[in-house]
Amino acid sequence: MPVITTIDDLHRIYRRRAPKMFYDYCETGSWTEQTFRENTSDFAEIRLRQRVAVDMSDRSTTTTMIGAEVAMPVALAPVGLTGMQHADGEILAAVAAEKFGVPFTLTTMSICSIEDVDAQVTKPFWFQLYVMRDQDFLRRIIERAKAAKVSALVVTLDLQMLGQRHKDIKNGLSAPPKPTIANIANLATKWRWGLGMLGTKRREFGNIVGHVQGVSDPSDLMAWTAEQFDPALDWAKVEQIRDMWGGKLILKGIMEPEDAKMAAKIGADAIIVSNHGGRQLDGAVSSIRALEPVLEAVGDEVEVWLDSGIRSGQDVLKAVAMGAKGTMIGRAYIYGLGAMGEAGVTRALEVIHMELDKSMAFCGHRDIGDVTRDILRVPKGFSGDWD
Ligand SMILES: Cc1cc2nc3c(=O)[nH]c(=O)nc-3n(C[C@H](O)[C@H](O)[C@H](O)COP(=O)(O)O)c2cc1C
């Protein structure tokens, strides 16, 4: 195994090993990619306060997210087509997360199905729901999640339609890839990926194919989304889903205090301050800038988490110090998965954990539960001095 000390190391290997189409799908934002870039660069604006002569022994990053104990305040975010980044990717990531002691979230748009993942893990996982026009499909998928003993439903609110990502259109993104000359030429150089794919039967959208009617081309994510995702999703529908589900509910994609108040009012157990990793509304502020206004609005009513832009344990520490009770990572674990499967996801989690643990100690704390905003130097006006 090569020596991996950063998420960036995994990113470099991932870039070499994954087919261009799926690498581009992951490593893109919408339109100009301003929000995608600022999600990471804004974390770097925040600095940490070094403390000295503090006992650093017996440290703990253990905490809870919606009542579940986690080894660190990090969950794996739902990521579409994970099973195209590496054969059986969702299963491998779920197993790595379970062994590490952090939650795994399966997306509606996965390659491995809810049932496939359920068969390979021993503890409950989370399921992320995209709300479809097809009411029967919606009802059935919620029933399937219940049957798999999913312990929380994550409803994503910021994707009633796709934010345009130029590369996906140009690459003709599909799962599985279509046998075009460009794809065949690129896949011929990705033998490791190809061998993995030959060894699995999971190459289509596992939750969808065979479970939904009237899809013109189920391999075409963009066409599928335009046909099936419910553009009329509103708070009344979110309440209906809450009632259909009846279990723990996490609302993902909240960026504004007004929306956070609605989410708290309808009884969400947690909300995720997220701009979908910069893949939806380009021009939105980074999640880390959006966090504090949301916390001021609802921080004592509902657990507030954050995702988008986390590439290190220091980013996790900054989010937690600002007041997030938990975080999610997307690309950081996908880099690991695409680089080296389950071992790569584990390595991504180890890197983030080590960085979080040591940075927390340098800032003078031994327990993640004691970390407050006092450890940060935040630029004036960071969370918004906008008109
Ligand atoms: C390739 C890719 C696919 C994604 N697919 C989904 C999805 O199916 N459902 C969802 O709610 N979010 C999806 N997201 C957003 C992630 O859940 C998460 O919000 C985002 O990755 C966080 O930003 P980060 O990648 O900078 O950590 C996706 C993100 C990426 C990078």
Coordinates of all heavy atoms in Angstrom, one line a residue, residues 219-253:
S219 N -30.3 4.4 -17.2 CA -28.9 4.6 -17.0 C -28.5 6.1 -17.0 O -27.4 6.4 -16.6 CB -28.1 3.8 -18.1 OG -28.2 4.5 -19.3
D220 N -29.4 6.9 -17.5 CA -29.1 8.3 -17.7 C -29.6 9.1 -16.5 O -30.8 9.5 -16.4 CB -29.8 8.8 -19.0 CG -29.4 10.2 -19.4 OD1 -29.1 11.0 -18.4 OD2 -29.4 10.6 -20.6
L221 N -28.6 9.5 -15.7 CA -29.0 10.1 -14.4 C -29.7 11.5 -14.7 O -30.7 11.8 -14.0 CB -27.7 10.4 -13.6 CG -27.9 11.2 -12.3 CD1 -28.6 10.3 -11.3 CD2 -26.5 11.6 -11.8
M222 N -29.2 12.2 -15.7 CA -29.8 13.5 -15.9 C -31.2 13.4 -16.4 O -32.1 14.1 -15.9 CB -28.9 14.3 -16.8 CG -27.7 14.9 -16.0 SD -26.4 15.5 -17.1 CE -25.7 14.0 -17.7
A223 N -31.4 12.5 -17.4 CA -32.8 12.4 -17.9 C -33.7 11.9 -16.8 O -34.8 12.3 -16.7 CB -32.8 11.4 -19.1
W224 N -33.2 10.9 -16.1 CA -34.0 10.3 -15.0 C -34.5 11.3 -14.0 O -35.6 11.4 -13.6 CB -33.1 9.3 -14.3 CG -33.9 8.2 -13.7 CD1 -34.3 7.0 -14.4 CD2 -34.4 8.2 -12.4 NE1 -35.0 6.3 -13.5 CE2 -35.1 7.0 -12.3 CE3 -34.4 9.0 -11.4 CZ2 -35.8 6.6 -11.2 CZ3 -35.1 8.7 -10.2 CH2 -35.8 7.5 -10.1
T225 N -33.5 12.2 -13.6 CA -33.8 13.2 -12.6 C -34.9 14.1 -13.1 O -35.9 14.5 -12.4 CB -32.5 14.0 -12.3 OG1 -31.5 13.1 -12.0 CG2 -32.7 14.9 -11.1
A226 N -34.7 14.6 -14.4 CA -35.7 15.5 -14.9 C -37.1 14.9 -15.0 O -38.1 15.5 -14.7 CB -35.2 16.0 -16.3
E227 N -37.1 13.6 -15.3 CA -38.4 12.9 -15.4 C -39.1 12.6 -14.1 O -40.3 12.6 -13.9 CB -38.3 11.6 -16.2 CG -38.2 11.7 -17.7 CD -37.6 10.5 -18.4 OE1 -37.7 9.4 -17.7 OE2 -37.2 10.6 -19.5
Q228 N -38.3 12.2 -13.1 CA -38.8 11.6 -11.9 C -38.8 12.4 -10.7 O -39.7 12.2 -9.8 CB -38.0 10.3 -11.6 CG -38.3 9.2 -12.7 CD -39.7 8.6 -12.6 OE1 -40.3 8.5 -11.5 NE2 -40.2 8.3 -13.7
F229 N -37.9 13.3 -10.5 CA -37.8 14.1 -9.3 C -38.9 15.0 -9.2 O -39.3 15.6 -10.2 CB -36.4 14.8 -9.1 CG -35.3 13.8 -8.7 CD1 -35.3 12.5 -9.2 CD2 -34.3 14.3 -7.9 CE1 -34.2 11.7 -8.9 CE2 -33.2 13.4 -7.6 CZ -33.2 12.1 -8.1
D230 N -39.5 15.2 -8.0 CA -40.7 16.0 -7.8 C -40.3 17.5 -7.7 O -39.9 18.0 -6.7 CB -41.4 15.6 -6.6 CG -42.8 16.3 -6.5 OD1 -43.1 17.1 -7.3 OD2 -43.5 15.9 -5.5
P231 N -40.6 18.3 -8.8 CA -40.2 19.7 -8.7 C -41.2 20.5 -7.8 O -40.9 21.6 -7.4 CB -40.4 20.2 -10.1 CG -41.3 19.3 -10.8 CD -41.2 18.0 -10.0
A232 N -42.3 19.8 -7.4 CA -43.3 20.5 -6.6 C -43.1 20.2 -5.1 O -44.0 20.6 -4.3 CB -44.7 20.1 -7.0
L233 N -42.0 19.7 -4.7 CA -41.7 19.4 -3.3 C -41.8 20.6 -2.5 O -41.2 21.6 -2.8 CB -40.3 18.8 -3.2 CG -39.8 18.5 -1.8 CD1 -40.6 17.5 -1.0 CD2 -38.3 18.1 -1.8
D234 N -42.6 20.6 -1.4 CA -42.7 21.7 -0.5 C -42.8 21.2 0.9 O -42.8 20.0 1.2 CB -43.9 22.6 -0.9 CG -45.3 21.9 -0.8 OD1 -45.3 20.7 -0.3 OD2 -46.3 22.4 -1.3
W235 N -43.0 22.2 1.9 CA -43.0 21.7 3.3 C -44.1 20.8 3.6 O -44.0 19.9 4.5 CB -43.0 23.0 4.2 CG -41.6 23.7 4.2 CD1 -41.4 24.9 3.6 CD2 -40.4 23.2 4.8 NE1 -40.0 25.2 3.8 CE2 -39.4 24.2 4.5 CE3 -40.0 22.1 5.5 CZ2 -38.1 24.1 4.9 CZ3 -38.7 21.9 5.8 CH2 -37.7 22.9 5.6
A236 N -45.3 21.0 3.0 CA -46.4 20.1 3.2 C -46.0 18.7 2.9 O -46.4 17.7 3.6 CB -47.6 20.6 2.5
K237 N -45.3 18.5 1.7 CA -44.9 17.2 1.3 C -43.8 16.6 2.3 O -43.8 15.4 2.6 CB -44.3 17.2 -0.1 CG -45.4 17.4 -1.1 CD -45.0 17.0 -2.5 CE -46.2 17.2 -3.4 NZ -45.9 17.4 -4.8
V238 N -43.0 17.5 2.8 CA -42.0 17.0 3.7 C -42.7 16.5 5.0 O -42.3 15.4 5.5 CB -41.0 18.1 4.1 CG1 -40.0 17.7 5.2 CG2 -40.3 18.7 2.9
E239 N -43.8 17.2 5.4 CA -44.5 16.7 6.6 C -45.2 15.3 6.3 O -45.2 14.4 7.1 CB -45.6 17.7 6.9 CG -45.0 18.9 7.7 CD -46.0 19.9 8.1 OE1 -46.7 20.4 7.2 OE2 -46.2 20.2 9.3
Q240 N -45.7 15.2 5.0 CA -46.3 13.9 4.7 C -45.2 12.8 4.8 O -45.5 11.7 5.3 CB -46.8 13.9 3.2 CG -48.1 14.5 3.0 CD -48.4 14.7 1.5 OE1 -47.8 14.1 0.7 NE2 -49.4 15.5 1.2
I241 N -44.0 13.1 4.3 CA -43.0 12.0 4.3 C -42.6 11.7 5.7 O -42.4 10.6 6.1 CB -41.7 12.5 3.5 CG1 -42.1 12.5 2.0 CG2 -40.5 11.7 3.7 CD1 -41.2 13.3 1.1
R242 N -42.5 12.8 6.6 CA -42.2 12.6 8.0 C -43.2 11.6 8.6 O -42.9 10.7 9.3 CB -42.3 13.9 8.7 CG -42.2 13.9 10.2 CD -42.8 15.1 10.9 NE -44.2 15.2 10.6 CZ -45.0 16.3 10.9 NH1 -44.4 17.4 11.3 NH2 -46.3 16.3 10.6
D243 N -44.5 11.8 8.2 CA -45.6 10.9 8.8 C -45.5 9.5 8.2 O -45.7 8.5 8.9 CB -46.9 11.5 8.6 CG -47.1 12.8 9.3 OD1 -46.2 13.1 10.3 OD2 -48.0 13.6 9.0
M244 N -45.2 9.4 6.9 CA -45.1 8.1 6.3 C -43.9 7.3 6.9 O -44.0 6.1 7.1 CB -44.8 8.2 4.8 CG -46.0 8.5 3.9 SD -45.4 9.1 2.3 CE -45.0 7.6 1.5
W245 N -42.8 8.0 7.2 CA -41.6 7.4 7.8 C -41.8 7.0 9.2 O -41.6 5.9 9.7 CB -40.4 8.3 7.5 CG -39.2 7.9 8.2 CD1 -38.5 8.7 9.1 CD2 -38.4 6.7 8.0 NE1 -37.4 8.0 9.6 CE2 -37.3 6.8 8.9 CE3 -38.5 5.6 7.3 CZ2 -36.3 5.8 9.0 CZ3 -37.5 4.6 7.4 CH2 -36.5 4.7 8.2
G246 N -42.1 8.0 10.0 CA -42.4 7.8 11.4 C -41.2 7.6 12.3 O -41.3 7.4 13.5
G247 N -40.0 7.7 11.8 CA -38.7 7.5 12.6 C -37.9 8.8 12.6 O -38.4 9.9 12.3
K248 N -36.6 8.6 12.9 CA -35.8 9.8 13.0 C -35.6 10.5 11.6 O -35.4 9.7 10.6 CB -34.4 9.4 13.5 CG -34.4 8.9 14.9 CD -33.5 9.6 15.8 CE -33.8 9.2 17.2 NZ -32.8 9.4 18.2
L249 N -35.7 11.8 11.6 CA -35.7 12.5 10.3 C -34.6 13.6 10.3 O -34.5 14.4 11.2 CB -37.1 13.2 10.2 CG -37.3 14.0 8.9 CD1 -37.5 13.0 7.7 CD2 -38.6 14.9 9.0
I250 N -33.8 13.5 9.2 CA -32.8 14.5 9.0 C -33.0 15.3 7.7 O -33.3 14.6 6.7 CB -31.4 13.8 8.9 CG1 -31.1 12.9 10.2 CG2 -30.2 14.7 8.7 CD1 -30.1 11.9 10.1
L251 N -33.0 16.6 7.8 CA -33.3 17.4 6.6 C -32.0 18.0 6.1 O -31.3 18.7 6.8 CB -34.4 18.4 6.9 CG -35.7 17.9 7.3 CD1 -36.7 19.0 7.5 CD2 -36.3 16.9 6.2
K252 N -31.7 17.7 4.8 CA -30.4 18.0 4.2 C -30.5 19.1 3.2 O -31.4 19.0 2.3 CB -29.8 16.8 3.6 CG -28.5 16.9 2.9 CD -27.9 15.6 2.6 CE -26.5 15.7 1.9 NZ -26.5 16.0 0.5
G253 N -29.6 20.1 3.3 CA -29.6 21.1 2.2 C -30.1 22.5 2.7 O -30.5 23.3 1.9

